[in-house]
């Protein structure tokens, strides 16, 4: 299947509108039918040359059935009920004030302080501290939309997970699952500055939950980030390819939220 932004929009449209809940193997025929309906509807809105609805449905089904490890207590997306998911969670918040001087260099310093040496993205602060980026001031308003937020864990101990779907091609024309190894995904994350996107999504989720959960505790409720490179998700019997899970420390998210609000100067 092709790459590009048009194909990415098509896939996002499918995931946003599909009821993927199919907790048992007996439910998978119904999931396949709903998936075909979703790809057909999405194709009518975001038609991509050479991509048929049946081919797209067949390609996306394994990703819905892939266990996601620690991120979701080893459950696949298909085991998450629609009532435990928010699709396209939009947000908007101000970056400090008109006189704020917060820069990306300060964000990089915060990441460097909080990320342990064995974190998969421990080298990312160096990329963010590049001279062409580090001096950029953070002012105005930040707007965005999180592909999905999943509620996992238990009813008494829920965790909330940020999910972002990626259709990036990490190899040549003949893609294999090995092109979506942990190392390859890490390199792509850093190259495209997805970690900055991910941690900003975590800040948005932190603010959202702090206003809606009476007993909100970031250490308990922030459950991590999953960047799902859907071409690399291998299905129920597959390995860890395609699933880039990241667990930024809750303290990093809280401090970054305060930094972006310029609260340190109050």
């Amino acid at each position: 299947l092709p790459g590009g932004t048009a194909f990415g929009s098509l896939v996002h449209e499918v995931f946003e509108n599909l009821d993927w809940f199919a907790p048992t193997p007996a439910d998978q025929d119904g999931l396949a039918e709903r998936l075909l309906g979703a790809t057909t509807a999405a194709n009518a809105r975001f038609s991509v040359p050479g991509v048929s609805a049946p081919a797209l449905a067949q390609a996306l089904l394994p990703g819905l059935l892939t266990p996601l490890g620690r991120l979701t207590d080893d459950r696949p997306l298909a085991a998450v009920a629609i009532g435990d998911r928010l699709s396209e969670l939009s947000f908007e918040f101000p970056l400090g004030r008109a006189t704020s001087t917060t820069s990306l260099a300060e964000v990089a310093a915060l990441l460097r302080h909080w990320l342990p040496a064995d974190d998969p993205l421990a080298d990312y602060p160096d990329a963010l501290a590049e001279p062409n980026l580090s001096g950029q001031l953070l002012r105005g308003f930040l707007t965005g939309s999180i592909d999905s937020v999943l509620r996992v864990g238990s009813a008494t101990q829920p965790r909330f997970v940020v999910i972002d779907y990626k259709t990036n091609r990490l190899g040549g024309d003949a893609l294999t699952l090995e092109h979506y190894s942990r190392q390859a995904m890490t390199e792509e994350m850093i190259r495209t500055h997805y970690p900055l996107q991910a941690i900003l999504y975590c800040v948005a989720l932190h603010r959202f939950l702090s206003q809606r959960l009476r007993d909100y505790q970031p250490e308990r409720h922030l459950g991590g980030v999953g960047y799902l490179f859907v071409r690399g998700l291998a299905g129920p019997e597959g390995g860890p390819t395609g699933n880039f899970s990241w667990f930024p420390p809750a303290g990093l998210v809280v401090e970054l939220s305060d930094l972006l609000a310029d609260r340190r100067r109050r």
Side-chain angles (χ1 to χ4, degrees), residues 11-263:
V11 170
H12 279 76
E13 178 78 2
V14 173
F15 282 127
E16 179 183 353
N17 294 289
L18 172 68
D19 180 1
W20 61 43
F21 189 50
T24 72
D27 300 313
Q28 290 180 15
D29 287 345
L31 171 60
E33 291 179 10
R34 295 195 302 276
L35 181 55
L36 179 58
T39 58
T40 301
N43 218 21
R45 183 176 181 189
F46 294 102
S47 179
V48 176
V51 178
S52 70
L56 182 58
Q58 183 180 17
L60 293 180
L61 183 59
L64 297 170
L65 303 175
T66 303
L68 299 180
R70 174 187 166 193
L71 189 70
T72 59
D73 304 320
D74 213 31
R75 298 155 65 196
L77 293 178
V80 179
I82 195 169
D84 289 320
R85 151 188 157 207
L86 283 174
S87 293
E88 297 298 329
L89 177 61
S90 298
F91 61 87
E92 178 179 27
F93 56 81
L95 295 172
R97 296 164 288 174
T99 57
S100 295
T101 59
T102 304
S103 68
L104 280 177
E106 293 173 82
V107 176
L110 201 59
L111 287 164
R112 189 175 290 112
H113 171 75
W114 277 100
L115 296 182
D118 60 351
D119 189 280
L121 296 174
D123 293 336
Y124 177 65
D126 295 335
L128 193 59
E130 287 288 331
N132 290 336
L133 294 175
S134 60
Q136 292 188 28
L137 298 182
L138 302 178
R139 292 179 183 165
F141 281 79
L142 181 68
T143 63
S145 183
I146 303 172
D147 287 351
S148 280
V149 174
L150 306 182
R151 180 171 55 195
V152 297
S154 66
T156 57
Q157 295 286 333
R159 295 184 296 111
F160 297 85
V161 174
V162 169
I163 296 291
D164 198 274
Y165 313 111
K166 296 300 182 188
T167 58
N168 306 42
R169 297 180 64 91
L170 302 191
D173 292 335
L175 289 177
T176 66
L177 293 176
E178 285 69 30
H179 285 113
Y180 293 87
S181 66
R182 184 72 170 179
Q183 180 177 348
M185 291 187 294
T186 300
E187 292 172 357
E188 181 73 354
M189 291 286 293
I190 292 175
R191 183 189 72 82
T192 54
H193 290 282
Y194 288 157
L196 178 60
Q197 180 188 47
I199 200 66
L200 292 174
Y201 284 170
C202 289
V203 168
L205 178 60
H206 160 64
R207 295 185 178 194
F208 179 82
L209 295 176
S210 68
Q211 296 177 35
R212 287 163 174 80
L213 290 185
R214 183 175 302 169
D215 61 343
Y216 173 63
Q217 299 174 27
E219 297 80 7
R220 275 180 51 200
H221 293 112
L222 294 178
V225 177
Y227 270 54
L228 305 184
F229 291 81
V230 295
R231 297 177 195 268
L233 296 176
E237 305 303 325
T241 59
N243 172 20
F244 187 91
S245 296
W246 185 39
F247 301 91
L252 166 60
V253 177
V254 173
E255 283 200 26
L256 180 57
S257 179
D258 288 343
L259 177 68
L260 296 177
D262 212 4
R263 293 194 181 102

